[in-house]
Amino acid sequence: MTADNNLLIDVRQLSVGYRSGGQTLLAVQRLSLSMAQGETVAIVGESGSGKSTLANAILGLLPDHAQISAGQLWVGGNDLSHASERQKRLQRGRTVGLVPQDPMVSLNPTLRTGQQIAEALILAKGKRYPGVDADIVELLQQVGIDKPVLRARQYPHELSGGMRQRVLIAIALAGNPRLIIADEPTSALDVTVQRKILDHLQRLVSERGISLLIITHDLGVAIDRADRILVMKQGEVVEQGPPRQILANPRHDYTRALIAAAPAFARRQEPLARSDATHAPILRLHNVGKTFSLPKVKGEDPTFVALQDLSLQVYPGQTLAIVGESGSGKSTALRIALGLEKPTRGQVWFEQQDVTTLSWREFRPLRQRLQLVQQNPFAALDPRFTVFDSIVEPLVSFGRLKGAALEHAARELIGRVHLPVSFLDRLPRELSGGQCQRVAIARALALKPDLLLLDEPVSALDVSVQAHILDLLEELQREMGIAYVLVSHDLSVVANFAHEVLVLRNGKVVEQGTVEQIFNRPGSDYTRELIAAIPGSVAASAA
Amino acid sequence: MTTIDRRLAPTTLAPPLWRRRSRLQRAASAVLPLLRRPGFSLALLVVLFALVAAVSPSLLSSFDPYATAPAAKLSAPSLGHWFGTDELGRDLYTRVVYGASLSVLAAFLAVGIALVGGLGLGILSGFAGGRIDAVLMRFIDVLLALPGLLLALAIVTAIGFGTVPVAIAVGVGIIPGFARTTRAEVLRVKTLPYVEAARLGGASWRRTLLRHILPNAWGPVAVLATLDFGAAILATAGLSFLGFGAAPPAAEWGTLIANGRHFLITAPWVSLLPGLFLVAVVFSLNHIARTFEEIQR
């Protein structure tokens, strides 16, 4: 049996299973995939669909308890399904390179970036050769890092997330591989950075004739970038084809659901009407500014301006979205509104009351009307509390309910967020990310607040789960008339959800207006850049 | 994830037959699998034996620990006298069993003092921060700089001999470790999002501390307590061996070992068997502590 030599990757009827407790759980089932040199293929699926298992199998990095139970796996002319560790090592770096998922944890914090690239170079080219330093600088230049000589001498913590991701790309390129696997390469980054890095990666790959395998949960990213798309669900390929065909006439229900979930392809609803000014705003920030003092370093400004002259109003039953990149001051604005930080300048009004200088004790009664949903749903729940304990915690804290009434309230709240009642006994570690976020929302709803502050409520979740959570939030707003302040780095999340949008950059308001204004007649270059960065927007505007 | 969400959505309409699961049920489901590990079960048996011996020694031995029998002095271990007899003909096994009460009491007292003091100091300094933290931690540094046994010796000399003073001395000696561990955990847990969420949900500082921070910071401290329980038994026995602990007729593990050292060549069991028993108890406690540490990860 020989493989077709023109194909770089030829996976035939591959099944991979995980053994646990005497049972084998198939993560990949009878999957076939072939890639020619120079092709870009995207695998799309949710967490748990087996796409990372497939990538690990191609890299020969399956964990010990995983087993290839059937099929063949030809990579660069070698069958890896029964290869020894030694053979697999020869492939890694030289034939297949990996750009890992999370740039924050994927670099060794105790080695300079240059050393880490050198490691990959030396592995690929044999001994420490004289040109290694020049090669490092050249690689860093190629991946678009300015001042490469300086960067090579810095440690990972001195670089931003985007730069770290570029260093990881340089490491993947070092062995001059024929295929690069990008495993959710940018999901940890801001949208604008995400776009720049993907553009760059794609250009490098096409210049060198390298194949690219993108693994993502975001159909938008896949459609913008790939020549061919595979949609995976529970270990099986449900559909494959060129992006245009997938987008225009998806054959499988699951693909249709994914397209509906991708914000860029969702049909824009009628822009939500803004309420007339007769209502008094429920929350009002007036010329709020925040300055942090930094530890004194010679020759540097001892203060950091996080927020400047921010004014905003939130009306009852309406949604205000604050959009900006990390470091734009959007979280600071939220914390000031919550009374967790005191503003340096300006006032915060809650209805008719100036809450700027209230102490914690004075603010406490207001907490019943003002609640927060946090960013990371896994960290937002006490790991020792059952879902029941978490949900009713605010009710107990305020001493509102006891005993049977408490259990009744818990049943009602968990129904509101569409989780089964039996979940009340579970612990957070037994829930998925989307379910955790539902519990966190139920907890925030317990006190029946009038205003909910949402701090990136969906950024840690898969695209399809994002859509469900946003639907839920919208439904709750319709039924209970809650006002939202939604903080996000992603304009696409905001598009169908908010009444009004405020774009922040470096602590300053860049633009403010209704959703319709912002999306159709953006007044600043920055807003235009943000809109262009929405994955899938290229295809969506072409279609 | 989504698929699960969707599949489960209709079941919300099912009749709510849900009842809260009790704490006991949850604890049982966590502990039962541990008992299947042979090492853990054995360690637990040894510790339970020591605890039973401490509470009601008469259940485990029918002899009188103080009854002398000069005719049968220094007899080797046999079916009648499992651990042999000492220089006055007293049954050694019985004395080890009866000695448990003093040793275990002293260890409980020592760990109790260390827990209360260490947790208090750790929580105070982790929670208050700033100057209070700095002052407390420097004080802890000083305590850490002194060797534990030396500190205990100094305290015993100052407050007098006997089991209780020895326990106090050992307890004070292991406070710094508890304070440090607690402070580190409190600092870690304090900044987690769910603590902030609880505060925003209107929980008072006391409630946040007792319901959120302490239970989540408690794990490593509990492991340390189990571990130090063994160390405390060893330290009290060590001080008794040196003659600071229980007065002679009373049975105490350290005193028993000390007694036998004059007959080490002719009758090695007098020192050796109580010593081995002590080692078994301390090892078992260490093993239990390690198992707890493993399952926390």
Side-chain angles (χ1 to χ4, degrees):
Chain A
M1 256 198 293
T2 51
D4 185 348
N5 278 336
N6 295 327
L7 289 175
L8 179 59
I9 286 192
D10 191 7
V11 178
R12 296 179 192 164
Q13 298 289 317
L14 184 76
S15 296
V16 182
Y18 288 97
R19 287 189 304 272
S20 72
Q23 290 178 323
T24 307
L25 190 82
L26 280 184
V28 173
Q29 291 176 40
R30 291 189 304 286
L31 184 138
S32 297
L33 157 75
S34 59
M35 271 180 84
Q37 190 70 45
E39 219 184 353
T40 300
V41 174
I43 300 180
V44 183
E46 313 174 338
S47 349
S49 62
K51 53 194 197 313
S52 289
T53 305
L54 177 65
N56 284 337
I58 292 173
L59 282 160
L61 282 178
L62 284 173
D64 287 338
H65 60 285
Q67 193 185 21
I68 295 180
S69 48
Q72 293 163 15
L73 178 65
W74 295 87
V75 176
N78 296 307
D79 187 359
L80 284 193
S81 58
H82 298 288
S84 65
E85 176 61 23
R86 209 182 140 76
Q87 277 174 297
K88 289 181 195 163
R89 260 189 71 186
L90 283 174
Q91 296 276 329
R92 266 177 242 146
R94 269 158 263 196
T95 313
V96 189
L98 172 73
V99 179
Q101 182 164 10
D102 191 348
M104 298 302 169
V105 297
S106 298
L107 286 168
N108 184 340
T110 60
L111 284 180
R112 296 173 198 277
T113 54
Q115 285 173 306
Q116 303 190 42
I117 298 172
E119 215 170 37
L121 280 169
I122 289 164
L123 272 179
K125 301 193 179 172
K127 285 217 172 86
R128 196 170 175 81
Y129 59 99
V132 67
D133 289 334
D135 279 1
I136 292 170
V137 172
E138 201 198 319
L139 272 174
L140 283 174
Q141 241 159 8
Q142 280 176 2
V143 295
I145 286 184
D146 57 336
K147 295 186 260 175
V149 182
L150 169 73
R151 299 297 178 209
R153 297 195 45 209
Q154 283 183 316
Y155 287 96
H157 71 265
E158 297 173 272
L159 306 180
S160 68
M163 270 201 269
R164 283 187 231 187
Q165 191 62 278
R166 285 173 197 264
V167 171
L168 287 169
I169 292 174
I171 292 174
L173 285 173
N176 223 348
R178 294 166 64 193
L179 165 73
I180 286 186
I181 297 179
D183 188 0
E184 306 262 7
T186 54
S187 51
L189 303 172
D190 279 349
V191 267
T192 44
V193 184
Q194 185 179 346
R195 175 161 174 247
K196 279 183 206 142
I197 289 195
L198 281 176
D199 281 349
H200 204 91
L201 182 63
Q202 211 169 16
R203 209 176 60 237
L204 281 175
V205 162
S206 62
E207 275 169 8
R208 299 179 170 209
I210 303 174
S211 310
L212 182 62
L213 182 63
I214 301 175
I215 290 173
T216 178
H217 64 82
D218 190 342
L219 194 63
V221 171
I223 283 181
D224 275 0
R225 313 274 163 190
D227 302 326
R228 206 144 50 81
I229 293 178
L230 266 80
V231 181
M232 273 183 87
K233 188 192 180 187
Q234 289 168 359
E236 286 175 274
V237 172
V238 295
E239 186 159 1
Q240 62 172 314
R244 226 157 251 292
Q245 182 197 325
I246 297 250
L247 189 58
N249 39 9
R251 275 172 306 198
H252 199 276
D253 285 344
Y254 181 67
T255 319
R256 264 175 235 130
L258 273 183
I259 292 176
F265 310 125
R267 217 166 293 122
R268 183 114 1 111
Q269 301 163 351
E270 275 299 292
L272 300 160
R274 221 177 122 183
S275 83
D276 41 277
T278 51
H279 281 286
I282 186 164
L283 177 77
R284 192 151 63 87
L285 266 63
H286 183 67
N287 286 339
V288 164
K290 178 78 188 171
T291 312
F292 291 105
S293 57
L294 299 176
K296 283 201 177 84
V297 180
K298 222 178 178 181
E300 279 180 32
D301 194 1
T303 57
F304 170 72
V305 180
L307 215 53
Q308 256 178 311
D309 276 345
L310 174 71
S311 298
L312 58 84
Q313 288 93 34
V314 186
Y315 294 94
Q318 308 235 333
T319 304
L320 170 78
I322 304 177
V323 181
E325 293 172 37
S326 30
S328 62
K330 55 192 196 306
S331 291
T332 312
L334 213 57
R335 294 179 69 82
I336 287 175
L338 276 166
L340 289 171
E341 304 262 4
K342 296 274 170 251
T344 323
R345 280 176 301 281
Q347 285 114 38
V348 182
W349 295 77
F350 190 80
E351 288 187 340
Q352 303 306 318
Q353 194 180 358
D354 184 353
V355 298
T356 321
T357 52
L358 286 191
S359 70
W360 187 268
R361 202 176 289 273
E362 290 163 333
F363 209 113
R364 190 162 175 260
L366 287 178
R367 303 240 167 264
Q368 306 185 39
R369 311 193 44 205
L370 175 80
Q371 281 290 314
L372 171 75
V373 175
Q374 285 152 321
Q375 179 169 13
N376 182 351
F378 294 105
L381 301 176
D382 187 329
R384 283 173 180 267
F385 273 32
T386 59
V387 169
F388 173 82
D389 289 327
S390 283
I391 290 182
V392 299
E393 155 117 79
L395 292 172
V396 178
S397 292
F398 277 103
R400 285 246 196 113
L401 297 172
K402 272 201 185 103
L406 205 60
E407 289 186 13
H408 181 76
R411 279 197 290 268
E412 195 195 310
L413 282 166
I414 200 139
R416 273 227 176 270
V417 294
H418 304 301
L419 286 177
V421 178
S422 60
F423 271 45
L424 285 171
D425 269 332
R426 297 209 184 181
L427 290 172
R429 62 166 182 270
E430 298 164 330
L431 303 179
S432 71
Q435 290 162 351
C436 278
Q437 197 60 294
R438 283 170 194 265
V439 173
I441 292 172
R443 175 177 62 188
L445 290 179
L447 293 167
K448 301 203 170 55
D450 300 315
L451 175 63
L452 212 53
L453 302 170
L454 309 162
D455 185 5
E456 306 248 14
V458 295
S459 67
L461 305 173
D462 277 3
V463 171
S464 49
V465 182
Q466 284 185 7
H468 290 292
I469 297 285
L470 289 176
D471 284 348
L472 170 70
L473 286 170
E474 227 175 319
E475 179 191 318
L476 291 171
Q477 186 168 52
R478 260 200 321 275
E479 286 173 7
M480 303 170 75
I482 311 171
Y484 292 143
V485 177
L486 171 73
V487 160
S488 174
H489 69 254
D490 191 351
L491 257 183
S492 61
V493 168
V494 167
N496 284 329
F497 190 65
H499 299 81
E500 217 185 326
V501 183
L502 189 145
V503 182
L504 268 184
R505 188 187 199 184
N506 297 334
K508 282 181 226 147
V509 179
V510 172
E511 202 168 346
Q512 189 167 7
T514 61
V515 173
E516 198 265 328
Q517 271 170 7
I518 297 279
F519 276 85
N520 297 343
R521 287 169 275 127
S524 73
D525 290 342
Y526 183 64
T527 315
R528 268 188 284 275
E529 202 180 310
L530 278 178
I531 293 174
I534 299 175
S537 54
V538 182
S541 55
Chain B
M1 271 186 245
T2 352
T3 48
I4 297 170
D5 285 353
R6 247 182 262 143
R7 216 186 309 130
L8 290 175
T11 55
T12 49
L13 303 173
L17 284 171
W18 164 82
R19 301 285 318 155
R20 272 170 90 178
R21 204 157 37 132
S22 72
R23 253 164 223 283
L24 195 70
Q25 282 169 315
R26 256 183 283 144
S29 66
V31 171
L32 286 180
L34 281 181
L35 292 178
R36 289 207 199 101
R37 302 187 188 187
F40 183 80
S41 304
L42 190 68
L44 203 63
L45 271 182
V46 173
V47 172
L48 280 180
F49 181 85
L51 286 180
V52 171
V55 176
S56 60
S58 51
L59 280 183
L60 297 171
S61 171
S62 51
F63 289 98
D64 179 355
Y66 304 110
T68 57
K73 68 173 184 179
L74 291 179
S75 62
S78 63
L79 278 178
H81 301 286
W82 292 354
F83 281 18
T85 56
D86 65 2
E87 77 277 14
L88 295 175
R90 294 175 292 198
D91 182 51
L92 212 52
Y93 167 74
T94 311
R95 286 183 66 75
V96 168
V97 167
Y98 277 80
S101 72
L102 274 183
S103 290
V104 171
L105 175 79
F108 264 119
L109 199 60
V111 172
I113 289 171
L115 260 184
V116 172
L119 272 179
L121 285 177
I123 289 171
L124 185 63
S125 87
F127 221 67
R131 277 207 196 121
I132 297 178
D133 181 30
V135 169
L136 281 177
M137 280 303 118
R138 293 304 76 73
F139 173 65
I140 296 291
D141 283 347
V142 171
L143 281 185
L144 271 178
L146 297 170
L149 204 60
L150 191 69
L151 187 68
L153 276 177
I155 296 174
V156 172
T157 322
I159 61 178
F161 295 178
T163 313
V164 175
V166 162
I168 294 174
V170 171
V172 172
I174 52 180
I175 280 182
F178 280 88
R180 269 285 153 102
T181 315
T182 313
R183 171 176 175 268
E185 282 299 303
V186 168
L187 282 182
R188 180 181 69 84
V189 175
K190 198 169 80 167
T191 55
L192 290 177
Y194 59 80
V195 174
E196 192 173 82
R199 289 290 283 151
L200 291 174
S204 60
W205 269 127
R206 223 177 55 148
R207 187 183 156 78
T208 318
L209 185 68
L210 292 181
R211 295 271 282 147
H212 291 280
I213 297 182
L214 253 187
N216 283 296
W218 169 246
V221 184
V223 170
L224 191 68
T226 326
L227 202 61
D228 274 359
F229 192 74
I233 290 181
L234 213 55
T236 37
L239 285 173
S240 295
F241 180 88
L242 293 175
F244 295 101
E252 204 272 351
W253 292 345
T255 343
L256 286 179
I257 299 169
N259 260 347
R261 71 185 191 277
H262 305 296
F263 320 103
L264 217 47
I265 305 292
T266 51
W269 59 86
V270 182
S271 269
L272 223 49
L273 288 178
L276 282 178
F277 183 74
L278 178 65
V279 167
V281 172
V282 174
F283 264 165
S284 302
L285 284 166
N286 283 6
H287 184 82
I288 291 173
R290 235 192 57 195
T291 314
F292 282 150
E293 195 193 346
E294 270 169 21
I295 57 164
Q296 275 180 13
R297 274 193 228 122

